[in-house]
């Protein structure tokens, strides 16, 4: 090759050639093989043997790599063009390399350690089984890797776990409780016994008794117990049974979000939700939810129902000893309810004492107070919570219907429970009314079993301001859902005449079709004879069959010319039938509706309307008479005065009084009814003021009424016969209601009002 010193330079047009001298015949091409490594000294240590083995391995690798590079030499000329093609790509990726360049020193430092962790099997320098055992570095690397992977898995699972939006409806369902007007419990409805209580209404002793028994570190833990979860999983997988091991947060999650299935997957989900819930809710909120959803046995959920089921009192009245007994039930009511058997009693006493001691240990009960609790607080033998019964079912039916309507609650909302319904029902009046009707039914069965078999007794008491104090709906709602106090099946008869009287006094009468109204007073005179034809301004009133309509009195008795007040006092029918025609049947109808009768119960607008062809219920008849006692203002009858849900008030639409007739008219009607009561029952009226009333009979003897007012409370009683297996058509009484001298409706009325 020309390029040595002293040679002339190449011209521009000359080509550069690679000059290779020919090999001489005596020269041989040789392959150099490096000498083998020297064996370690016999006295070398374990570390030297490892280093020697690694050095030999690196040399073998380097030799193979060099040989491979030499072998690829002829390919260099072929790969050159490829390098020129990939050049631009390298320039593009260059910035990415510069981005990771700062990490290169750290990578170089870590590389030797990483190479050491790389397993080489069988391990050099070892003999026998030790050749296959990882080094401590490898064990450490595997442990750290596993911990990292587990941490990443848990973080991912936590991030992907959401707190369910829908609560377990059964776990949060509550019962509805009904109260008498004096505030005492009357009945309970619902699938479960549960009433949620705000934490502020649960005494501290009760809270800490539960925490001491279940989770004393509740206010400091993160919502889960790793030790407890591990123990629970081990026992579930290894021994086939279950172990709780849960914090109160986990138990609350299980109660309201999950099922009671004891599986590892459910336990894991429970823990994830508990962690998240602990970050989202305060500890007090979680504790409140737990205390209101836990099962305590005896069909009761929540601490409030448990207190009532075992001690017959509200949770706010429990002491620390009673609270410890209830807290013991959380471990399993079937094992710790002391009333079930002797073994349960022994377990319950032991755990009760242990819980009290724990309360002392954690500083929530003084030793002095603990010393006072030496006797086990025996619970009641049976659950005293009120259930619906024979007669109270009718009261619950009325109250629930009114509550949903007045509070604008859907059936679904109401059925979820948690409502406290404070009714208007008076317990003493209800008992007096029920006892009186029960006695009358029994006597009727003895005197005439055939007639009594289809006998019905509707009764209701309503105050002047609309409160329903008592009703009699039937012998047993579970056997007869038909409510006799609220049925609109039988005619009111002559008990309807006070509304005709009020219409005439309020609006006057028309003697000519288009003429002005003529005023009517209690002293206005009408014909009281039996069989008097009913007239209109144009003449006699003819029915559709072409016959004149005539009015009749009870027993066909005639009274001659008689004032309206006297006709009311003596129950003379014919004047009121004509008065209804003179005042206008549409006016009579509207006056009755304004006074409290339902428009749907009003009878045909014919002359018989004035003598009670309408079919109001006992409740509505009592409400109508209460309008007169209230000075002419009517208030819709109602059975619920207040509603709360878990202690919070529920808005309730309260009826307001509305003017039905003038005050003067109401007073005049009341005076006429007072005369009627005194005339028919002079002995009872003697020395008793403020009592008025009137009997009611029907043309075909299908119903007998007595409606009256005493002490501003109007009571309506109706006796009738209906065969419910066939139809709702009234049957003749056949003596079931007694006689005018010995009237069953009046006897029941006087017993209900305290006059009997």
């Amino acid at each position: 090759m020309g390029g040595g010193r002293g040679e002339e330079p190449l011209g521009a047009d000359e080509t550069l050639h690679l000059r290779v001298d020919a090999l001489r015949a005596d020269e041989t091409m040789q392959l150099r093989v490096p000498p083998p490594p020297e064996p370690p000294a016999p006295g070398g240590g374990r570390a030297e043997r490892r280093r020697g083995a690694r050095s030999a391995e690196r040399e073998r690798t380097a030799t193979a790599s060099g040989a491979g590079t030499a072998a690829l030499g002829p390919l260099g000329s072929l790969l050159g063009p490829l390098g020129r093609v990939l050049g631009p790509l390298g320039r593009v990726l260059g910035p990415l390399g510069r981005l990771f360049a700062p990490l290169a020193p750290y990578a170089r430092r870590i590389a030797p350690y990483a190479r050491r962790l790389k397993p080489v099997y069988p391990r050099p320098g070892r003999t026998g089984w030790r050749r296959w055992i990882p080094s401590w570095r490898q064990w450490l690397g595997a442990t750290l890797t596993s911990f990292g992977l587990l941490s990443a898995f848990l973080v991912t699972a936590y991030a992907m776990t959401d707190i369910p939006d829908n609560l377990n409806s059964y776990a949060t369902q509550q019962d509805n409780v009904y109260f008498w007007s004096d505030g005492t419990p009357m009945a309970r409805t619902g699938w479960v016994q549960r009433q949620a209580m705000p934490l502020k209404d649960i005494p501290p002793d009760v809270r800490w008794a539960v925490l001491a028994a279940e989770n004393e570190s509740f206010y400091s833990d993160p919502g889960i117990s790793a030790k407890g979860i591990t123990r629970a999983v081990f026992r579930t997988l290894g021994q086939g049974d279950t172990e709780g091991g849960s914090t109160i947060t986990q138990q609350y999650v299980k109660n309201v979000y999950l099922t009671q299935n004891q599986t590892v997957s459910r336990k894991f989900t429970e823990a994830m939700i508990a962690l998240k819930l602990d970050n989202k809710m305060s500890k007090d909120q979680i504790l409140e939810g737990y205390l209101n959803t836990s099962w305590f046995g005896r069909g009761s959920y929540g601490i409030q129902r448990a207190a009532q089921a075992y001690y017959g009192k509200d949770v706010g009245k429990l002491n620390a000893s009673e609270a410890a007994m209830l807290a013991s039930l959380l471990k399993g009511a079937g094992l710790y309810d002391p009333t079930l058997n002797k073994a349960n009693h022994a377990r319950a006493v032991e755990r009760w004492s242990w819980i009290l001691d724990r309360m002392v240990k954690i500083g929530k009960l003084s030793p002095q107070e603990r010393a006072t609790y030496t006797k086990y607080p025996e619970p009641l033998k049976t659950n005293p919570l009120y259930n619906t019964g024979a007669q109270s079912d009718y009261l619950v039916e009325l109250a629930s219907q009114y509550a949903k309507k007045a509070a604008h609650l859907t059936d679904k909302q109401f059925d979820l429970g948690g409502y406290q319904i404070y009714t208007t029902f008076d317990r003493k009046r209800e008992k007096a009314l029920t006892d009186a009707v029960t006695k009358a039914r029994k006597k009727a069965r003895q005197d005439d079993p055939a007639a009594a078999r289809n006998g019905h007794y509707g009764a209701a008491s309503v105050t002047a301001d609309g409160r329903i104090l008592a009703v009699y709906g039937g012998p047993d709602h579970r056997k007869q859902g038909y409510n006799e106090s609220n049925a609109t099946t039988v005619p009111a008869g002559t008990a309807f005449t006070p509304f005709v009287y009020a219409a005439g006094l309020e609006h006057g009468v028309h003697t000519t079709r288009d003429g002005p109204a003529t005023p009517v007073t209690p002293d206005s005179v009408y014909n009281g004879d039996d069989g008097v034809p009913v007239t209109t301004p144009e003449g006699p009133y003819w029915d559709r069959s072409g016959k004149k309509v005539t009015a009749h009195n009870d027993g066909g008795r005639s009274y001659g010319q008689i004032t309206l007040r006297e006709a009311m006092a003596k129950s003379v029918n014919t004047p009121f039938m004509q008065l209804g025609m003179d005042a206008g049947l549409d006016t009579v109808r509207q006056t009755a509706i304004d006074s409290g009768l339902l428009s749907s119960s009003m009878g045909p607008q014919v002359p018989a309307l004035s003598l009670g062809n309408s079919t109001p219920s006992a409740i509505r008849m009592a409400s109508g008479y209460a309008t007169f006692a209230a000075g002419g203002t009517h208030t819709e009858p109602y059975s619920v005065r207040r509603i709360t849900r878990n202690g919070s008030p529920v808005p309730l639409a309260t009826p307001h009084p509305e003017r039905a007739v003038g005050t003067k008219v109401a007073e005049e009607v009341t005076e006429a009814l007072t005369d009627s009561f005194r005339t028919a029952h002079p002995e009872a009226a003697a020395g008793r003021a403020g009592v008025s009333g009137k009997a009611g009979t029907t043309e075909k003897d299908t119903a007998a009424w007595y409606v009256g007012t005493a002490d501003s409370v109007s009571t309506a009683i109706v006796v009738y016969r209906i065969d419910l297996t066939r139809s709702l058509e009234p049957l003749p009484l056949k003596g079931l209601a007694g006689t005018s001298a010995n009237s069953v409706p009046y006897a029941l009325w006087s017993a209900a009002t305290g006059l009997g």
Side-chain angles (χ1 to χ4, degrees):
M1 178 177 181
R5 204 174 288 163
E7 297 183 5
E8 294 181 2
L10 296 173
D13 58 344
E14 292 184 358
T15 305
L16 182 64
H17 297 281
L18 177 64
R19 183 180 298 172
V20 179
D21 295 333
L23 294 174
R24 290 191 294 271
D26 60 345
E27 291 184 357
T28 305
M29 193 173 187
Q30 297 180 349
L31 176 66
R32 286 185 182 179
V33 178
E38 296 182 3
R46 182 181 303 173
E48 293 180 0
R49 290 196 297 272
R50 282 200 298 268
R51 285 194 295 271
R54 291 194 186 100
S55 299
E57 180 68 20
R58 284 195 295 270
E59 290 179 4
R60 286 194 296 270
T61 303
T63 300
S65 175
T69 304
L72 291 174
L75 296 177
S77 59
L78 297 177
L79 296 177
L82 181 62
R84 287 191 294 272
V85 174
L86 295 177
L89 181 61
R91 288 191 295 273
V92 174
L93 297 177
L96 186 61
R98 288 192 296 274
L99 179 64
F100 290 99
L103 298 178
Y106 300 100
R108 285 194 295 271
R109 292 180 184 178
I110 296 174
Y113 299 99
R115 284 195 295 270
R116 291 179 185 179
L117 293 175
K118 178 182 178 181
V120 179
Y121 289 101
R123 293 181 63 197
R126 298 288 186 275
T127 61
W129 60 269
R130 292 183 178 86
R131 301 170 63 198
W132 305 97
I133 301 300
S135 68
W136 68 268
R137 294 183 181 87
Q138 293 166 348
W139 280 115
L140 177 61
T143 301
L144 293 177
T145 301
S146 300
F147 179 78
L149 292 175
L150 178 61
S151 299
F153 171 74
L154 293 177
V155 169
T156 303
Y158 178 84
M160 295 181 65
T161 300
D162 293 324
I163 299 175
D165 294 328
N166 298 324
L167 301 181
N168 182 340
S169 60
Y170 185 80
T172 56
Q173 187 178 9
Q174 304 178 58
D175 52 6
N176 294 322
V177 184
Y178 299 78
F179 298 88
W180 294 102
S181 59
D182 61 2
T184 57
M186 181 184 77
R188 179 192 62 82
T189 62
W191 292 105
V192 297
Q193 295 181 13
R194 180 189 286 112
Q195 179 188 347
M197 293 291 290
L199 191 65
K200 63 181 180 62
D201 295 334
I202 301 175
D205 281 346
V206 177
R207 303 181 213 169
W208 282 106
V210 172
L211 293 175
E214 296 293 307
N215 186 191
E216 65 182 54
S217 62
F218 169 72
Y219 279 100
S220 59
D221 65 39
I224 63 171
S225 168
K227 180 180 178 181
I229 292 175
T230 303
R231 182 173 65 250
V233 171
F234 172 75
R235 290 181 64 88
T236 301
L237 292 178
Q239 301 183 19
D241 57 359
T242 59
E243 176 88 5
S246 299
T247 64
I248 278 180
T249 305
Q250 289 176 258
Q251 294 181 52
Y252 174 63
V253 168
K254 179 178 65 177
N255 288 343
V256 302
Y257 295 115
L258 305 175
T259 67
Q260 302 299 316
N261 297 334
Q262 295 285 359
T263 62
V264 175
S265 61
R266 200 273 298 156
K267 199 74 178 175
F268 180 78
T269 304
E270 171 192 299
M272 291 296 103
I273 296 177
L275 281 171
K276 217 154 203 180
L277 200 69
D278 192 76
N279 291 327
K280 181 179 180 181
M281 296 174 61
S282 69
K283 288 290 188 179
D284 282 350
Q285 288 176 317
I286 294 173
L287 180 60
E288 177 182 308
Y290 173 75
L291 291 174
N292 285 319
T293 57
S294 296
W295 164 255
F296 285 87
R298 293 195 179 185
S300 60
Y301 287 83
I303 192 69
Q304 167 70 352
R305 282 289 175 268
Q308 295 172 338
Y310 288 91
Y311 291 107
K313 62 176 71 172
D314 289 336
V315 65
K317 298 180 180 179
L318 294 175
N319 58 35
S321 178
E322 295 165 336
M325 180 271 163
L326 293 180
S328 69
L329 298 171
L330 292 168
K331 195 171 179 64
L335 295 174
Y336 291 90
D337 184 345
T339 63
L340 297 181
N341 52 58
K342 292 183 179 179
N344 271 24
H345 192 279
R347 277 192 295 267
V349 172
E350 180 181 359
R351 187 159 178 81
W352 162 79
S353 179
W354 178 82
I355 291 173
L356 289 175
D357 291 341
R358 294 289 295 177
M359 293 178 69
V360 174
K361 181 180 178 180
I362 63 178
K364 299 303 177 181
L365 186 68
S366 67
Q368 295 77 15
E369 187 177 2
R370 170 66 180 94
T372 63
Y373 299 130
T374 58
K375 185 178 180 181
Y376 182 70
E378 298 289 347
L380 301 173
K381 297 296 182 183
T382 58
N383 189 342
L385 289 176
Y386 287 83
N387 290 309
T388 52
Q391 186 59 216
S392 60
D393 280 351
Y394 296 103
L395 306 181
V396 167
E397 179 185 58
L398 288 173
S400 62
Q401 289 174 352
Y402 182 83
K404 286 185 282 188
K405 180 180 178 181
H408 305 290
L409 300 173
T410 64
D411 289 340
K412 182 178 181 180
Q413 289 175 316
F414 196 75
D415 290 343
L416 283 176
Y419 294 96
Q420 297 79 51
I421 298 97
Y422 296 87
T423 72
T424 60
F425 301 125
D426 185 288
R427 181 161 52 174
K428 293 181 179 179
R429 284 183 176 271
E430 182 64 34
K431 185 178 186 304
L433 181 58
T434 301
D435 290 347
V437 178
T438 301
K439 183 178 179 181
R441 281 185 179 276
K442 182 178 180 180
K443 186 176 185 304
R445 287 194 299 268
Q446 294 173 349
D447 295 344
D448 190 347
R453 184 171 58 252
N454 298 320
H456 298 275
Y457 302 74
S461 294
V462 179
T463 64
D465 60 3
R467 290 174 292 124
I468 303 175
L469 299 185
V471 300
Y472 181 86
D476 191 337
H477 189 275
R478 289 165 291 193
K479 296 179 181 178
Q480 176 191 288
Y482 173 80
N483 190 335
E484 296 171 355
S485 70
N486 203 31
T488 56
T489 54
V490 295
T494 55
F496 185 84
T497 55
F499 302 108
V500 182
Y501 187 36
L505 294 175
E506 180 76 14
H507 301 284
V509 298
H510 295 269
T511 57
T512 61
R513 180 63 63 187
D514 298 322
T518 302
V520 172
T521 69
D523 296 325
S524 297
V525 176
Y526 273 77
N527 189 341
D529 289 340
D530 184 65
V532 174
V534 176
T535 62
T536 68
E538 289 80 16
Y541 185 92
W542 302 80
D543 63 17
R544 292 185 179 181
S545 63
K547 295 182 179 179
K548 290 182 181 180
V549 175
T550 57
H552 297 277
N553 297 321
D554 290 341
R557 183 178 176 182
S558 294
Y559 294 85
Q561 296 297 308
I562 189 173
T563 64
L564 291 175
R565 179 170 179 170
E566 186 180 2
M568 180 67 70
K570 295 180 178 180
S571 296
V572 182
N573 299 334
T574 53
F576 294 102
M577 196 167 186
Q578 185 59 51
L579 178 61
M581 297 299 296
D582 294 343
L585 295 178
D586 56 342
T587 301
V588 172
R589 183 181 188 278
Q590 190 59 49
T591 300
I593 293 173
D594 291 343
S595 298
L597 274 59
L598 296 176
S599 59
S600 59
S601 69
M602 299 304 297
Q605 205 160 295
V606 295
L609 176 71
S610 299
L611 293 186
N613 66 2
S614 300
T615 58
S617 66
I619 294 175
R620 287 293 170 171
M621 280 295 283
S623 177
Y625 275 57
T627 298
F628 303 133
T633 59
H634 169 68
T635 304
E636 277 291 291
Y638 63 98
S639 55
V640 177
R641 57 187 176 85
R642 184 166 64 96
I643 300 177
T644 61
R645 190 168 196 269
N646 300 331
S648 300
V650 175
L652 187 69
T654 305
H656 299 286
E658 296 182 1
R659 176 64 58 185
V661 295
T663 303
K664 180 64 174 176
V665 170
E667 292 175 354
E668 289 172 340
V669 173
T670 300
E671 290 174 359
L673 291 173
T674 302
D675 291 343
S676 176
F677 172 71
R678 291 173 178 173
T679 301
H681 308 283
E683 300 83 4
R688 183 68 184 268
V691 180
S692 60
K694 187 183 186 309
T697 57
T698 59
E699 183 180 1
K700 297 181 180 179
D701 193 33
T702 55
W705 291 79
Y706 197 89
V707 189
T709 303
D711 301 324
S712 298
V713 177
S714 297
T715 301
I717 308 288
V718 59
V719 179
Y720 56 98
R721 292 180 65 241
I722 288 180
D723 187 351
L724 293 174
T725 62
R726 294 184 178 182
S727 69
L728 293 178
E729 188 67 25
L731 303 173
L733 285 170
K734 294 185 177 180
L736 186 66
T739 64
S740 58
N742 187 21
S743 169
V744 172
Y746 173 76
L748 296 176
W749 180 86
S750 60
T753 56
L755 295 173

